[in-house]
Amino acid sequence: MPTSHPSHRRSFLKAGTLLGAGLLAAPVIQTAQAVQVKDSVTGQPYRGQRRKLGSGKQQIEVSSLGLGCMGMSYHRSFIPDRKVSIQLIRSAYDMGVNFFDTAEAYGPFRNEELVGEAIAPFRKNIILCSKFGFNIQDGKLSGLNSKPAHIREVVEQSLRRMKTDYIDLLYQHRVDPAVPMEDVAGTVKDLIQEGKVKYFGLSEAGAESIRKAHAVQPLTALQSEYSLMTRGPEEAVLKVCEELGIGFVPYSPISRGFLSGMINERTKYNPANDNRPTLPRYQPDAIKANWAMIDALVEFGNPRGLTPAQVALAWLLAQQPWIVPIPGTTKLAHLQENMGAADYSFTADELKAFKEIVSKIKIVGERYTGVQAQQTNR
């Protein structure tokens, strides 16, 4: 179970009253006002901010921050009590979140079952996302598989686990080089026509794959890792998304907890249920080398009453109006903290100056290695 210094957290949660020297200190807090709109599903007034992913008939309206549910079942060292996780998901909905992300690979299978139970009371009012694309054998991921017949099998199984008759947004989890993208997109198109899926997305796909898929079945969103620590999508993918009218959903927007300041070189993980010990960026030397990013977030956030995680999320929201991060958490306090990021808006001057600061920070350690690295940006 990860551990870290309580003193770090306390310092991040202090109100921003340091108006003296500090990075980009501002005399007032700039906030984004809640958009007074009606829920597109229920027609009831919605408290909170919304964003749109996709365009035309493929467009969906979602909360400005979604909830990544993976860590409640998978890859985060411990698994919370099931009742705690269900209540957390329902609390997110009460706070205005209508965008929930899971996948058959998370667990595997356990996370879809958890999410399905948690969302049952309000299933029709939300956007439920899941994914296909892996072979799963003996409870472990065993290579890629996006063959049309397998996609159909996964969708049927996911529907049963989540106790629903449709998936709002279905992503290909990783591009399978053994299956033409046109066949993948064509299969999802058929599932959409059959009413089992509403919208199509890709995850960690490169520009060429995005274009091929979009030509067969227009994409609503691309989900890939994107944060202050991982800027790869800026090279080409974001430009393609803007050109084609595709939304972008950053996963790990707080870089698997690092940008919260809650992970340090002494953090311990459970290797049986955590992928971070295998990733170069989370090794002690890399964490110490990358701490300059935490310093920058603290210096910007403290005068404004923001935590490092809130600054990191607000920065992502400031990049494009069609970007919707899906931070994950297992704790109500962190959920509340993350949601608070949507209330902050960078001024143009702040964004420019902050960009200059973080662009000088060299990130140490790759985000993935080996097979995992090979499966991205295809």
Side-chain angles (χ1 to χ4, degrees):
M1 178 175 174
T3 59
S4 59
H5 290 304
S7 59
H8 289 319
R9 194 65 173 182
R10 288 196 297 269
S11 66
F12 297 156
L13 294 175
K14 288 180 180 177
T17 58
L18 307 179
L19 299 179
L23 175 65
L24 313 179
V28 295
I29 295 178
Q30 301 291 329
T31 60
Q33 299 300 314
V35 178
Q36 299 301 313
V37 298
K38 289 186 177 181
D39 188 294
S40 59
V41 177
T42 66
Q44 298 301 310
Y46 171 76
R47 65 180 192 285
Q49 300 175 59
R50 289 281 176 115
R51 292 191 166 207
K52 293 178 180 179
L53 297 173
S55 54
K57 293 181 180 180
Q58 309 310 315
Q59 187 176 87
I60 56 177
E61 186 179 82
V62 300
S63 45
S64 54
L65 289 169
L67 180 63
C69 300
M70 181 195 78
M72 300 176 194
S73 307
Y74 187 59
H75 267 347
R76 287 301 173 263
S77 281
F78 69 97
I79 298 176
D81 183 278
R82 186 179 184 85
K83 292 180 181 179
V84 171
S85 292
I86 289 172
Q87 186 55 52
L88 182 68
I89 291 171
R90 292 177 179 175
S91 294
Y93 176 74
D94 290 340
M95 293 178 194
V97 175
N98 79 330
F99 193 44
F100 296 87
D101 186 86
T102 183
E104 63 153 359
Y106 302 158
F109 310 133
R110 294 194 304 267
N111 198 246
E112 282 188 327
E113 294 170 351
L114 171 72
V115 171
E117 180 178 349
I119 66 169
F122 45 81
R123 168 66 188 99
K124 301 298 182 180
N125 300 341
I126 66 163
I127 300 297
L128 176 62
C129 311
S130 195
K131 310 176 189 71
F132 66 85
F134 286 103
N135 273 320
I136 300 176
Q137 299 178 353
D138 299 324
K140 295 182 179 180
L141 305 189
S142 179
L144 301 173
N145 187 346
S146 282
K147 295 178 180 178
H150 185 67
I151 295 173
R152 287 187 165 275
E153 290 173 2
V154 171
V155 167
E156 293 297 334
Q157 293 165 2
S158 293
L159 291 173
R160 285 196 293 271
R161 281 190 290 269
M162 295 188 291
K163 294 182 173 60
T164 185
D165 53 5
Y166 65 96
I167 297 169
D168 292 283
L169 177 55
L170 181 68
Y171 296 98
Q172 182 187 35
H173 212 151
R174 293 292 185 271
V175 173
D176 185 348
V179 181
M181 181 56 75
E182 292 82 357
D183 292 351
V184 174
T187 302
V188 177
K189 182 176 183 177
D190 291 343
L191 289 166
I192 291 173
Q193 293 174 346
E194 294 165 19
K196 295 179 180 179
V197 174
K198 288 192 172 184
Y199 304 96
F200 181 32
L202 299 179
S203 179
E204 290 288 2
E208 184 178 353
S209 293
I210 294 170
R211 292 185 184 280
K212 287 181 178 180
H214 193 73
V216 176
Q217 171 57 46
L219 295 165
T220 293
L222 178 77
Q223 181 181 134
S224 293
E225 185 171 355
Y226 182 36
S227 72
L228 283 165
M229 301 290 289
T230 300
R231 307 283 291 274
E234 295 173 351
E235 295 173 6
V237 166
L238 289 178
K239 296 180 179 66
V240 172
C241 287
E242 184 171 26
E243 174 193 339
L244 300 179
I246 300 168
F248 191 88
V249 178
Y251 76 80
S252 294
I254 310 175
S255 196
R256 298 176 180 83
F258 177 76
L259 292 175
S260 71
M262 290 295 291
I263 291 176
N264 60 43
E265 67 274 14
R266 293 177 294 281
T267 298
K268 303 297 183 184
Y269 309 98
N270 175 5
N273 184 40
D274 207 313
N275 63 341
R276 287 174 290 189
T278 68
L279 304 178
R281 193 166 291 174
Y282 300 88
Q283 304 310 305
D285 288 347
I287 287 175
K288 287 189 285 187
N290 292 327
W291 203 257
M293 184 65 75
I294 302 299
D295 290 337
L297 292 171
V298 170
E299 197 166 356
F300 182 88
N302 274 351
R304 297 163 176 83
L306 300 173
T307 67
Q310 289 175 327
V311 177
L313 291 170
W315 175 84
L316 274 174
L317 291 169
Q319 300 310 300
Q320 293 288 352
W322 38 266
I323 288 179
V324 179
I326 51 168
T329 185
T330 57
K331 298 176 177 65
L332 179 60
H334 293 176
L335 172 64
Q336 294 168 330
E337 175 185 348
N338 293 342
M339 293 303 295
D343 293 329
Y344 186 82
S345 292
F346 279 80
T347 66
D349 288 343
E350 284 178 334
L351 194 60
K352 179 181 178 181
F354 186 70
K355 179 180 179 180
E356 292 176 358
I357 294 293
V358 298
S359 65
K360 297 175 183 177
I361 299 173
K362 181 180 179 181
I363 305 302
V364 175
E366 298 297 325
R367 66 182 182 113
Y368 287 130
T369 59
V371 173
Q372 289 178 303
Q374 295 170 10
Q375 292 174 347
T376 62
N377 199 36
R378 281 175 164 166

